[in-house]
């Protein structure tokens, strides 16, 4: 559930704490993905906002360990 005032997760989504960095976000993507998918399906977003979130989900799904090597 989302707190409409500040757009932060509430209730059972509280476990989606912010990542410390991009690497942690990558490692926790399976935790964040359902949350982002729910955001992308919100009716109060414009179609272009939903489309951008959809593309970001596809992008994050395609990133692998080899993409994050420096």
């Amino acid at each position: 559930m989302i707190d409409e005032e500040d757009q932060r997760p509430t209730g059972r989504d509280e476990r989606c704490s912010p990542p410390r960095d991009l690497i942690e976000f990558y490692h926790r993507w399976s935790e964040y993905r359902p949350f982002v998918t729910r955001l992308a399906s919100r009716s109060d977003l414009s179609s272009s906002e939903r489309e951008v979130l959809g593309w970001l989900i596809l992008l994050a799904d395609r990133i692998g360990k080899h993409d994050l090597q420096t």
Side-chain angles (χ1 to χ4, degrees), residues 23-64:
I23 302 302
E24 182 179 350
F25 184 85
Y26 164 76
H27 287 293
R28 293 177 58 196
W29 175 238
S30 62
E31 176 184 342
Y32 295 125
R33 192 182 194 286
F35 177 71
V36 177
T37 302
R38 283 192 303 277
L39 284 176
S41 66
R42 289 176 50 149
S43 61
D44 61 334
L45 295 178
S46 70
S47 60
S48 60
E49 290 169 327
R50 282 192 297 277
E51 184 176 357
V52 168
L53 282 172
W55 282 112
L56 289 172
I57 291 167
L58 289 173
L59 177 65
D61 286 346
R62 298 223 22 181
I63 294 174

Side-chain angles (χ1 to χ4, degrees), residues 3-21:
D3 181 343
E4 298 297 329
E5 292 292 320
D6 58 7
Q7 302 298 303
R8 290 183 307 175
T10 59
R12 68 180 194 162
D13 290 327
E14 286 294 335
R15 73 184 191 288
C16 291
S17 58
R20 291 175 296 207
D21 55 30

